[in-house]
Amino acid sequence: MKSEADEPASRAGKNDAPKGTLYIVATPIGNLEDLSPRASNVLSKVDVVAVEDTRHSGRLLQHLGLQKRMIALHDHNERARAGSLLDELEAGLDVALISDAGTPLISDPGYVLVREARNRGLTVSPIPGPCAIVTALSAAGLPTDRFLFVGFLPAKRTGRRTALEELGQERATLVFYESPHRILDAMRDLVKVFGESREVVLGRELTKTFETFYSGGMGEVLEKLESDPHGTKGEFVVMVRGAEPVETGEECGALDVDRLIRLLMAELPVKKVARMAAELTGLSKNVLYQRALELKQD
Ligand code: SAM
């Protein structure tokens, strides 16, 4: 595909042999009608398609009536495969990178390839389209002026709670990806760390037949999920309203106190934690002592 009118202008210099372009092509996150005509056009014209999973992407290419040379590029072989793809680009072949769903590099492979392609001065051109983050945020009804995409939370409880605690005071809307088999555990930890009333919106099976949004306070949404027989099926985007501005002095919120207690407990015995937290917040030492014991049990 060397003479496309819409081809990026930043190709190799006039006297160099033309090098190939690396196209980063977004594909549907469920509904095949979301594949853009431009994406389809680029896929039909490139020489090679780098895919995460050849069987999965083979079905997409088959749906488009395309027979393409596919090269598997995933987390475990990206470094090695990137090298041979870069050689093909240098030799003048055009390559499209796609992932199993949505936009490549967004919690998907491709970083090593794109980084090295840019280092070598090759043209990297994005073909935009579906992405679960933006799809979910666009319909969630949460503030979108500032959001922080966190990707997948750690799989183990301790790591997950630590990661969440670090985000407790973040003011931007938080966005996580979560798999069906971990969504309940993740929601339980979210309730523990952010409290029952923090607003959350879950987008499940977006663009698919059973697309569902669950929204409300964390405790309420957890109950909805637990009582819905289909609640834990499918893929999820979890969106959490950012923290309210931190209050000081006597208006110190319960969540801040929990965070303070946790921080102090990492260094001090419970009695000292209660005394120090009482000093800092003006709250009752006994109440804080009890709360510290509860948190310690968690
Ligand atoms: N690159 C993709 C993108 O652009 O969104 C994301 C790939 S990441 C490996 C897969 C995760 O994205 C899923 O575990 C889920 O959290 C989220 N996701 C993908 N498709 C989704 C959908 N249709 N509905 C809800 N979440 C989805």
PDB file of all heavy atoms in Angstrom, residues 237-251:
ATOM      1  N   VAL A 237     -15.476  -2.934  32.933  1.00  0.00           N
ATOM      2  CA  VAL A 237     -14.721  -1.719  33.206  1.00  0.00           C
ATOM      3  C   VAL A 237     -15.308  -1.159  34.503  1.00  0.00           C
ATOM      4  O   VAL A 237     -16.532  -1.021  34.630  1.00  0.00           O
ATOM      5  CB  VAL A 237     -14.850  -0.682  32.078  1.00  0.00           C
ATOM      6  CG1 VAL A 237     -14.041   0.565  32.419  1.00  0.00           C
ATOM      7  CG2 VAL A 237     -14.374  -1.269  30.754  1.00  0.00           C
ATOM      8  N   VAL A 238     -14.444  -0.901  35.464  1.00  0.00           N
ATOM      9  CA  VAL A 238     -14.870  -0.388  36.772  1.00  0.00           C
ATOM     10  C   VAL A 238     -14.481   1.083  36.853  1.00  0.00           C
ATOM     11  O   VAL A 238     -13.309   1.422  36.657  1.00  0.00           O
ATOM     12  CB  VAL A 238     -14.163  -1.169  37.912  1.00  0.00           C
ATOM     13  CG1 VAL A 238     -14.594  -0.653  39.279  1.00  0.00           C
ATOM     14  CG2 VAL A 238     -14.417  -2.662  37.785  1.00  0.00           C
ATOM     15  N   MET A 239     -15.466   1.933  37.118  1.00  0.00           N
ATOM     16  CA  MET A 239     -15.172   3.370  37.198  1.00  0.00           C
ATOM     17  C   MET A 239     -15.597   3.901  38.559  1.00  0.00           C
ATOM     18  O   MET A 239     -16.731   3.666  38.993  1.00  0.00           O
ATOM     19  CB  MET A 239     -15.918   4.114  36.077  1.00  0.00           C
ATOM     20  CG  MET A 239     -15.417   3.721  34.698  1.00  0.00           C
ATOM     21  SD  MET A 239     -16.617   4.029  33.398  1.00  0.00           S
ATOM     22  CE  MET A 239     -17.784   2.711  33.655  1.00  0.00           C
ATOM     23  N   VAL A 240     -14.698   4.588  39.230  1.00  0.00           N
ATOM     24  CA  VAL A 240     -14.943   5.043  40.599  1.00  0.00           C
ATOM     25  C   VAL A 240     -14.845   6.568  40.641  1.00  0.00           C
ATOM     26  O   VAL A 240     -13.871   7.138  40.127  1.00  0.00           O
ATOM     27  CB  VAL A 240     -13.886   4.436  41.559  1.00  0.00           C
ATOM     28  CG1 VAL A 240     -14.088   4.927  42.985  1.00  0.00           C
ATOM     29  CG2 VAL A 240     -13.937   2.920  41.507  1.00  0.00           C
ATOM     30  N   ARG A 241     -15.850   7.204  41.240  1.00  0.00           N
ATOM     31  CA  ARG A 241     -15.787   8.673  41.374  1.00  0.00           C
ATOM     32  C   ARG A 241     -14.576   9.052  42.217  1.00  0.00           C
ATOM     33  O   ARG A 241     -14.294   8.401  43.224  1.00  0.00           O
ATOM     34  CB  ARG A 241     -17.070   9.196  42.032  1.00  0.00           C
ATOM     35  CG  ARG A 241     -17.076  10.718  42.188  1.00  0.00           C
ATOM     36  CD  ARG A 241     -18.340  11.196  42.858  1.00  0.00           C
ATOM     37  NE  ARG A 241     -19.433  11.367  41.931  1.00  0.00           N
ATOM     38  CZ  ARG A 241     -19.640  12.465  41.192  1.00  0.00           C
ATOM     39  NH1 ARG A 241     -18.836  13.487  41.295  1.00  0.00           N
ATOM     40  NH2 ARG A 241     -20.664  12.539  40.381  1.00  0.00           N
ATOM     41  N   GLY A 242     -13.877  10.083  41.805  1.00  0.00           N
ATOM     42  CA  GLY A 242     -12.694  10.521  42.539  1.00  0.00           C
ATOM     43  C   GLY A 242     -13.053  10.990  43.949  1.00  0.00           C
ATOM     44  O   GLY A 242     -14.217  11.252  44.255  1.00  0.00           O
ATOM     45  N   ALA A 243     -12.029  11.093  44.797  1.00  0.00           N
ATOM     46  CA  ALA A 243     -12.246  11.495  46.199  1.00  0.00           C
ATOM     47  C   ALA A 243     -12.684  12.951  46.261  1.00  0.00           C
ATOM     48  O   ALA A 243     -12.284  13.776  45.441  1.00  0.00           O
ATOM     49  CB  ALA A 243     -10.951  11.314  46.975  1.00  0.00           C
ATOM     50  N   GLU A 244     -13.537  13.238  47.243  1.00  0.00           N
ATOM     51  CA  GLU A 244     -13.909  14.631  47.519  1.00  0.00           C
ATOM     52  C   GLU A 244     -12.671  15.324  48.091  1.00  0.00           C
ATOM     53  O   GLU A 244     -11.798  14.657  48.651  1.00  0.00           O
ATOM     54  CB  GLU A 244     -15.053  14.672  48.541  1.00  0.00           C
ATOM     55  CG  GLU A 244     -16.355  14.060  48.038  1.00  0.00           C
ATOM     56  CD  GLU A 244     -16.886  14.745  46.791  1.00  0.00           C
ATOM     57  OE1 GLU A 244     -16.676  15.974  46.660  1.00  0.00           O
ATOM     58  OE2 GLU A 244     -17.460  14.058  45.923  1.00  0.00           O
ATOM     59  N   PRO A 245     -12.614  16.654  47.984  1.00  0.00           N
ATOM     60  CA  PRO A 245     -11.455  17.346  48.561  1.00  0.00           C
ATOM     61  C   PRO A 245     -11.272  16.966  50.028  1.00  0.00           C
ATOM     62  O   PRO A 245     -12.262  16.795  50.743  1.00  0.00           O
ATOM     63  CB  PRO A 245     -11.827  18.823  48.440  1.00  0.00           C
ATOM     64  CG  PRO A 245     -12.904  18.866  47.421  1.00  0.00           C
ATOM     65  CD  PRO A 245     -13.581  17.539  47.388  1.00  0.00           C
ATOM     66  N   VAL A 246     -10.016  16.793  50.431  1.00  0.00           N
ATOM     67  CA  VAL A 246      -9.737  16.376  51.814  1.00  0.00           C
ATOM     68  C   VAL A 246     -10.115  17.491  52.781  1.00  0.00           C
ATOM     69  O   VAL A 246      -9.723  18.638  52.601  1.00  0.00           O
ATOM     70  CB  VAL A 246      -8.240  16.037  51.979  1.00  0.00           C
ATOM     71  CG1 VAL A 246      -7.918  15.659  53.409  1.00  0.00           C
ATOM     72  CG2 VAL A 246      -7.861  14.933  51.023  1.00  0.00           C
ATOM     73  N   GLU A 247     -10.952  17.143  53.764  1.00  0.00           N
ATOM     74  CA  GLU A 247     -11.319  18.109  54.800  1.00  0.00           C
ATOM     75  C   GLU A 247     -10.265  18.062  55.901  1.00  0.00           C
ATOM     76  O   GLU A 247      -9.616  17.054  56.109  1.00  0.00           O
ATOM     77  CB  GLU A 247     -12.679  17.750  55.401  1.00  0.00           C
ATOM     78  CG  GLU A 247     -13.800  17.643  54.391  1.00  0.00           C
ATOM     79  CD  GLU A 247     -14.244  19.000  53.868  1.00  0.00           C
ATOM     80  OE1 GLU A 247     -13.785  20.019  54.441  1.00  0.00           O
ATOM     81  OE2 GLU A 247     -15.015  19.040  52.899  1.00  0.00           O
ATOM     82  N   THR A 248     -10.120  19.139  56.607  1.00  0.00           N
ATOM     83  CA  THR A 248      -9.134  19.139  57.696  1.00  0.00           C
ATOM     84  C   THR A 248      -9.821  19.301  59.043  1.00  0.00           C
ATOM     85  O   THR A 248     -11.016  19.547  59.115  1.00  0.00           O
ATOM     86  CB  THR A 248      -8.141  20.296  57.524  1.00  0.00           C
ATOM     87  OG1 THR A 248      -8.885  21.490  57.395  1.00  0.00           O
ATOM     88  CG2 THR A 248      -7.259  20.089  56.318  1.00  0.00           C
ATOM     89  N   GLY A 249      -9.052  19.184  60.100  1.00  0.00           N
ATOM     90  CA  GLY A 249      -9.519  19.437  61.455  1.00  0.00           C
ATOM     91  C   GLY A 249     -10.650  18.512  61.852  1.00  0.00           C
ATOM     92  O   GLY A 249     -10.656  17.332  61.518  1.00  0.00           O
ATOM     93  N   GLU A 250     -11.674  19.070  62.508  1.00  0.00           N
ATOM     94  CA  GLU A 250     -12.737  18.232  63.063  1.00  0.00           C
ATOM     95  C   GLU A 250     -13.587  17.567  61.999  1.00  0.00           C
ATOM     96  O   GLU A 250     -14.298  16.620  62.266  1.00  0.00           O
ATOM     97  CB  GLU A 250     -13.613  19.080  63.982  1.00  0.00           C
ATOM     98  CG  GLU A 250     -12.884  19.435  65.247  1.00  0.00           C
ATOM     99  CD  GLU A 250     -13.685  20.352  66.112  1.00  0.00           C
ATOM    100  OE1 GLU A 250     -14.862  20.575  65.804  1.00  0.00           O
ATOM    101  OE2 GLU A 250     -13.117  20.844  67.082  1.00  0.00           O
ATOM    102  N   GLU A 251     -13.558  18.118  60.760  1.00  0.00           N
ATOM    103  CA  GLU A 251     -14.404  17.548  59.717  1.00  0.00           C
ATOM    104  C   GLU A 251     -13.712  16.394  58.999  1.00  0.00           C
ATOM    105  O   GLU A 251     -14.195  15.916  57.991  1.00  0.00           O
ATOM    106  CB  GLU A 251     -14.769  18.632  58.704  1.00  0.00           C
ATOM    107  CG  GLU A 251     -15.754  19.619  59.286  1.00  0.00           C
ATOM    108  CD  GLU A 251     -15.976  20.780  58.344  1.00  0.00           C
ATOM    109  OE1 GLU A 251     -15.585  20.673  57.176  1.00  0.00           O
ATOM    110  OE2 GLU A 251     -16.508  21.787  58.804  1.00  0.00           O
TER     111      GLU A 251
END
